[in-house]
Amino acid sequence: MAKRKMVYCLPVAALALGAGVLMSTGVHATTGSDMYGCDDEKMDDVQVSCMATSLDSLKAGLALPNIENIYTLSSIDVKSDATLDLSGKTIKTFSNTNGYDMFEITDGASLTISGNGTVVKEGVAGNIFVVKGESSTLQLNGGTYNTNAAGRAVYGAYLLEGGTIIINNGATIDTTGSAGAAISGNNTTGDAHITVNGGALKSRYPSVYMAGQVDLTMNGGSLEGGIFARMGQIEINGGTITGIKEADD
């Protein structure tokens, strides 16, 4: 199979990808990883990986039946209501040296994700999701959301300034691969709104760690790691909460 090249604007000199190296030409970059942008017109039904450079690009990759892995180079901004179906695919960060948030939900937007896919956040910093602002909402109806950042405070969802997260059956946030909680935040204006109707939150530390105001309602599901909250309201109507094992880092 002929080697194909990914074309993407980059402000950096080089990035590592596995055993290969992504070299910058100053305007574009090419790599032997056989990746184009997910919405690039050069995509064909042979390729199994693509690069998401925006929300629309990510949607294009999720809609392609042949794509198995979608990589991100920077945050996917969600500033208006959007729905995603993971369609059995894996979305992951491009390099384990990055420090960006995978998804940033702001401006009162709502992001709803379903499907049996996997999202993996690697890197030295950042989170899988940041939900910022009143009415900004993340709803997870499916999917597994993992961190791979040993010893780093990489969180599953970080809520700011009144952000909301809803976890339903079929969704799992698992941050046992990092030193961060499944859900956290440090609100300076308003509560962090958390509703767990089902699914699972897993962490080697508290699954929910809130240093600021929290409005937490648990109707079902499981929290493997417990809850740490300094202030706010917590209502437990159902589900299972278990403590944490002693962390070794």
Side-chain angles (χ1 to χ4, degrees):
M1 181 177 69
K3 182 167 71 174
R4 292 176 291 276
K5 295 180 178 180
M6 181 275 288
V7 179
Y8 183 76
C9 293
L10 279 178
V12 296
L15 287 173
L17 176 62
V21 175
L22 176 68
M23 298 302 298
S24 173
T25 63
V27 178
H28 298 91
T30 61
T31 181
S33 60
D34 292 345
M35 278 187 290
Y36 289 114
C38 296
D39 52 356
D40 195 299
E41 61 182 10
K42 301 180 185 67
M43 287 292 299
D44 58 40
D45 59 6
V46 175
Q47 290 144 325
V48 296
S49 301
C50 65
M51 188 73 70
T53 57
S54 66
L55 181 60
D56 286 342
S57 178
L58 176 60
K59 288 180 178 179
L62 291 172
L64 294 172
N66 51 294
I67 291 298
E68 298 174 2
N69 297 298
I70 299 174
Y71 293 85
T72 64
L73 273 174
S74 59
S75 297
I76 301 295
D77 293 330
V78 181
K79 296 184 177 182
S80 59
D81 293 354
T83 60
L84 300 175
D85 185 340
L86 296 179
S87 305
K89 305 182 190 307
T90 297
I91 303 172
K92 60 179 66 177
T93 48
F94 185 75
S95 165
N96 64 4
T97 61
N98 66 74
Y100 58 86
D101 303 307
M102 291 189 74
F103 293 87
E104 292 187 1
I105 305 159
T106 60
D107 296 6
S110 174
L111 174 63
T112 301
I113 305 180
S114 60
N116 295 319
T118 303
V119 176
V120 182
K121 173 67 176 79
E122 299 181 331
V124 297
N127 312 287
I128 302 176
F129 300 100
V130 165
V131 188
K132 182 178 180 180
E134 294 289 343
S135 300
S136 296
T137 302
L138 170 65
Q139 179 166 310
L140 301 180
N141 298 330
T144 300
Y145 307 86
N146 296 331
T147 56
N148 182 18
R152 298 284 184 169
V154 173
Y155 300 92
Y158 202 84
L159 309 178
L160 293 168
E161 300 177 11
T164 296
I165 185 170
I166 302 169
I167 311 292
N168 292 321
N169 285 328
T172 297
I173 301 179
D174 184 344
T175 59
T176 55
S178 70
I183 300 176
S184 188
N186 188 11
N187 283 25
T188 57
T189 58
D191 291 356
H193 305 288
I194 304 169
T195 300
V196 181
N197 294 317
L201 304 178
K202 301 180 180 181
S203 175
R204 297 171 64 241
Y205 303 87
S207 296
V208 176
Y209 182 94
M210 296 304 303
Q213 287 281 349
V214 62
D215 174 14
L216 167 64
T217 300
M218 185 173 181
N219 297 314
S222 64
L223 273 62
E224 300 177 21
I227 300 169
F228 176 94
R230 290 183 177 175
M231 61 189 77
Q233 305 80 41
I234 298 176
E235 180 179 341
I236 308 296
N237 300 313
T240 302
I241 302 173
T242 57
I244 59 177
K245 296 179 181 180
E246 185 177 356
D248 56 11
D249 61 8

